[in-house]
Amino acid sequence: RSSDLGDEAGTFNPDSSHYSPDSPLPAPAEGEQVGYAKRGGWLEQSLSGKLLRNSVVAGQVVTGMVLEAAVGRPAGRHFNREAVLELSTNGTVIGSLLVSGKIVVEGQFVLARLQTAVSAATWSLLASKGVVIALRAVGGKNRHARANFDNVRLSILVKEDTTTSP
């Protein structure tokens, strides 16, 4: 799902005027298509609680989540001052990361990594309600400014449950 703001967010296949190489895209991006969000726009993906529960095996305790994404700045294009990676559940943000435009070289991507601790209570809510991944572009004065995103991955961090008896 993307913002309901017309062309404020979506996907496209960049060419060599955006990135070099353009096929495949420069690491840490991969493939040939990227998501974009203009200032005020966002890309969003919901993952169900069932999907999250099925990612954890018996005897494991969830300790955190990691959201990674390649954040790109197209060559010759305006770039927002910041891009944001965000995790939320049931309307509550559980983690967010602000990526400064100053660290993204024109025509390249950087790897952004949001790691957040997850308590037992938060995991219970996530396992019930699911998680929402949001990728946003914020800041900047130019309405054409945007951030590009690729290779988005969510990992669940676990440890062995040592509180149960064999």
Side-chain angles (χ1 to χ4, degrees):
R1 185 177 89 118
S2 61
S3 55
D4 298 324
L5 302 172
D7 71 344
E8 297 302 312
T11 60
F12 77 106
N13 293 345
D15 60 30
S16 58
S17 70
H18 299 103
Y19 297 101
S20 181
D22 65 324
S23 182
L25 293 166
E30 59 183 42
E32 298 182 5
Q33 188 177 59
V34 299
Y36 71 89
K38 292 183 180 178
R39 181 177 56 123
W42 70 89
L43 297 167
E44 189 175 274
Q45 177 67 52
S46 298
L47 302 176
S48 72
K50 182 178 181 180
L51 178 66
L52 297 177
R53 288 190 309 274
N54 289 343
S55 300
V56 179
V57 298
Q60 293 180 328
V61 175
V62 174
T63 60
M65 299 181 96
V66 176
L67 175 62
E68 294 180 317
V71 177
R73 178 180 183 172
R77 304 279 195 256
H78 298 287
F79 183 76
N80 279 32
R81 284 188 295 208
E82 288 96 21
V84 176
L85 282 64
E86 183 178 277
L87 292 172
S88 64
T89 186
N90 205 33
T92 301
V93 174
I94 60 172
S96 65
L97 175 68
L98 184 68
V99 181
S100 171
K102 294 177 182 177
I103 66 167
V104 186
V105 176
E106 189 175 304
Q108 297 297 314
F109 285 83
V110 298
L111 179 63
R113 186 173 196 266
L114 164 63
Q115 183 170 334
T116 186
V118 173
S119 67
T122 300
W123 175 247
S124 179
L125 188 59
L126 287 162
S128 170
K129 302 293 184 182
V131 68
V132 176
I133 298 168
L135 308 172
R136 305 179 189 282
V138 296
K141 295 179 182 176
N142 186 319
R143 69 180 188 89
H144 299 292
R146 68 181 182 194
N148 291 340
F149 302 94
D150 192 41
N151 201 15
V152 180
R153 298 172 189 225
L154 179 68
S155 303
I156 299 174
L157 304 176
V158 296
K159 69 177 183 179
E160 295 305 312
D161 184 357
T162 59
T163 62
T164 57
S165 309

